[in-house]
Amino acid sequence: MKKFLTVLFALFVAFQLRAQNPVQFNVTYNGFTPQAQAAFAFATHIWSQTLESTVPVKVNTYFVPLGSGGLLGITLPNGIKDFPGAPVASTWYATSLANSIAGTELNPGQFDMDLYLNSSINWYTDTTGTVPAGQYDLVSIVLHELCHGFGFVSLAKKSGTEGSFGLLQASDFAPLVTSFPWPQLDTLPGIFDHYLLNALFQPLDTFTNPSTALGTQLTNSVYFSGPSAVSANGNINPRMYAPGTFSLGSSILHLNEATYPVGNINELMTPNAAPGSANHNPGPICIGILQDIGWTINPYLGIDENNSEENNFSVYPNPATKELRVSDFKFQIERADVFDVLGKCVISQHPVSSVQHQIIIDVSKLKRGAYMVKLLGEKFSPTKRIVVE
């Protein structure tokens, strides 16, 4: 009877997985090589296993030279406020997010974002995540830029000493242009901005807007207060990137570089990418932020399972088809075991990296269904549910 119930549970999990609504992408490619387009599509597949929506995300993307300043990419999201069912009034939402919340396309005939990638960069376009020295991983950068298009973005700006929300102009990003009309932001914050706090836990959007006082806040310690992000960060407010000199396009709308450096599971949404490095995992804080601003997250990711000190690890992607990346940014990993629904260990793998904070597991030969991953380390042995498609 126990065996029958276990198998029945596996079938139920697989059925529930198929019943979800993975976000779909309608991408218009401009100037892309076949290799770059394949890398972009791979990144959209990762996000499709992370976010849920019944409305496709419409992306207009360019693979063009962006000058010699070292800019890897930039995303200009479309936006809307006060749409039917908007959770917060007088607040801007990225249209991809607003469409998801409303359950219908609110901006027919318009893209949800214009995403630019610098074709002059020495890109690594393979999808393995093993990047040669001196090259930048295109999949990682596309993941990063798409996330900004989902609403992981601030409407903060600083001119001289005056800080503001909702005074961004199209001219601020010239010569880049948008395919959609630039929204009149009306000195209003975005939903992302509603969760920003200073070191005294004062919401930044309660300061006079615009004002010098707000300008001061934008170049000091800034934190994110959304409950899902805080929970994913061990009940500590995640720190945002807010250097002493405001940098439009970098300040406030990224996680803090020094707090989440290269190799940290949350590094994807920091402002600077490192050559020879890849991260195909959005990270628990990023996923928590997206959930806080209104996205529905694939429940099989299980980010709430990461809340305890002993269970602070990530498995990604989940569901998996070819490989599964098991990461723990706090503890060293000694071994990862994968068990089927009958409790049989089907994979046992040790890390190959001397850092020992990540294991890549080949699950391509496993049958479709539910499994458990058990992580073994010096101070912990947590488990997490996964699904193989």
Side-chain angles (χ1 to χ4, degrees), residues 8 29 52 92 115 122 162 172 192 214 221 341 344 351:
L8 185 63
Y29 295 98
E52 294 190 353
W92 284 93
L115 192 159
N122 185 13
E162 186 177 79
D172 291 324
F192 181 93
L214 178 55
S221 298
V341 293
K344 178 183 178 181

Side-chain angles (χ1 to χ4, degrees), residues 84-153:
V88 182
S90 301
T91 301
W92 284 93
Y93 289 75
T95 55
S96 59
L97 171 57
N99 290 343
S100 178
I101 293 171
T104 188
E105 186 181 19
L106 301 170
N107 58 328
Q110 296 180 3
F111 288 104
D112 295 318
M113 66 187 83
D114 289 331
L115 192 159
Y116 289 84
L117 295 165
N118 191 348
S119 61
S120 301
I121 297 296
N122 185 13
W123 290 113
Y124 178 72
T125 57
D126 207 336
T127 60
T128 63
T130 305
V131 186
Q135 290 188 286
Y136 288 89
D137 184 57
L138 185 56
V139 172
S140 300
I141 303 307
V142 174
L143 284 172
H144 177 109
E145 294 300 331
L146 285 171
C147 191
H148 285 313
F150 299 147
F152 194 118
V153 66

